[in-house]
Amino acid sequence: MLFTTNLIGVTKGIISLLQNPGNTLSVYDIEDGLKESCLQRLSLQYVKSDQATAQIIAQRYLAASPCLETLLKLPEDSLGYHYATHLISLNFDPNFYRSIQVNSDTDYRLLRLRQTHDIWHIVTGFGVDVTGELQLKAFELSQTRRPLAIVLLLGGLFGALFSS
């Protein structure tokens, strides 16, 4: 079965996101609803097919919350410095994401994807507007096969098709 839990939550999240593309909470509702889906299991299996990634998931390393002031002291050409300046310039909180209690490999992976989301904006150069988010989801889909990326890309396509 494609969706084993919370199809209603996924649907509500999609409708809410189509009404307001900036509603981050809707994204988490969709992802939480997809957490136990067959697509999520296949995605996890895919990323774990890489030995180094499987080892990281098995170790379940969780980084401390970043201190932006400390990162600003790093060299200006470092990822940490760019991450801090990026978040500060946008007035973003590095802990904005909905937290997940880590009880499984899926939980761990989803938490790390949430924690590192803004780093990927910097690495890829994609913006934080709707277009940039969709670009990042396309990149993410090619890297992880994450079902959330599929849903958001389809939603972006439908939104573009039906907008005037």
Side-chain angles (χ1 to χ4, degrees):
M1 181 173 201
L2 180 60
F3 302 105
T4 58
T5 60
N6 205 356
L7 183 57
I8 293 172
V10 172
T11 304
K12 283 176 153 180
I14 290 170
I15 291 168
S16 175
L17 196 59
L18 287 172
Q19 291 172 337
N20 178 5
N23 186 351
T24 305
L25 295 178
S26 297
V27 174
Y28 298 136
D29 292 340
I30 296 166
E31 183 168 66
D32 290 347
L34 292 169
K35 191 172 117 176
E36 301 300 327
S37 70
C38 175
L39 291 175
Q40 192 71 264
R41 286 190 296 279
L42 290 171
S43 173
L44 181 64
Q45 181 181 2
Y46 172 74
V47 296
K48 286 174 70 174
S49 69
D50 176 76
Q51 199 65 23
T53 303
Q55 184 176 2
I56 291 168
I57 291 171
Q59 291 172 349
R60 294 198 181 151
Y61 166 77
L62 292 174
S65 180
C67 174
L68 300 182
E69 293 79 25
T70 301
L71 294 176
L72 286 173
K73 295 175 185 172
L74 295 172
E76 290 185 10
D77 61 347
S78 70
L79 178 59
Y81 180 86
H82 283 284
Y83 175 71
T85 58
H86 173 75
L87 290 186
I88 290 168
S89 72
L90 296 168
N91 199 29
F92 283 2
D93 176 359
N95 299 305
F96 75 96
Y97 52 86
R98 183 182 291 169
S99 189
I100 299 172
Q101 184 69 33
V102 177
N103 296 314
S104 68
D105 289 351
T106 296
D107 293 337
Y108 172 77
R109 179 170 163 254
L110 294 177
L111 178 59
R112 291 299 287 158
L113 286 165
R114 290 177 184 185
Q115 289 175 328
T116 60
H117 176 84
D118 283 309
I119 292 171
W120 286 107
H121 276 287
I122 296 163
V123 171
T124 62
F126 298 138
V128 296
D129 58 346
V130 172
T131 300
E133 291 294 346
L134 291 173
Q135 290 171 320
L136 187 59
K137 289 301 160 204
F139 173 81
E140 186 178 284
L141 180 59
S142 71
Q143 300 296 309
T144 68
R145 300 184 183 173
R146 184 179 184 189
L148 177 65
I150 297 167
V151 171
L152 295 180
L153 286 166
L154 287 174
L157 177 62
F158 283 123
L161 287 173
F162 296 112
S163 67
S164 32

